[in-house]
Amino acid sequence: MGERALRGTRLGATSYENDRNTDLAPRQEVPYTCPKGHRFDVPLAAEAEIPATWECRSCGATALRVDAEQPQQKKAKPPRTHWDMLLERRTIEDLEEVLNERLAILRAQRRKSA
């Protein structure tokens, strides 16, 4: 390619190759339907594992493959709260002791300022 063809372009930004004389990988069209009634096809490689769900292109909902059944929901662990994590480190008696110490400090500061 001559020097003129590269002048004024960003190298790496565009490919100067064309797809003539190339064979594309075999593909298959997989139909999906979302709960809102949108139907669309997704082109996938012929040897690819086909997922049961896909994000809808129109609304973003989870679309189900036309010939598939609803996948089973995974058991989700409930989120751990701050209280749960605190109870892993300390007992209720320890927490009451710390609370009483902090209350004594606060009461002493109030007496000083009053």
Side-chain angles (χ1 to χ4, degrees), residues 6-80:
L6 295 178
R7 187 177 299 158
T9 63
R10 294 173 290 169
L11 292 177
T14 7
S15 173
Y16 292 106
E17 293 185 26
N18 56 26
D19 34 336
R20 278 184 267 153
N21 301 326
T22 57
D23 294 329
L24 299 175
R27 298 178 185 194
Q28 59 181 333
E29 295 282 328
V30 182
Y32 287 90
T33 306
C34 87
K36 295 184 179 178
H38 302 125
R39 185 180 170 99
F40 58 94
D41 293 333
V42 177
L44 296 171
E47 66 273 356
E49 184 178 327
I50 301 170
T53 60
W54 198 273
E55 184 178 328
C56 179
R57 295 176 179 169
S58 302
C59 62
T62 302
L64 186 63
R65 195 172 73 216
V66 171
D67 59 347
E69 57 186 46
Q70 187 70 27
Q72 293 181 356
Q73 296 292 329
K74 297 179 182 176
K75 278 191 172 181
K77 287 175 46 177
R80 285 181 18 191

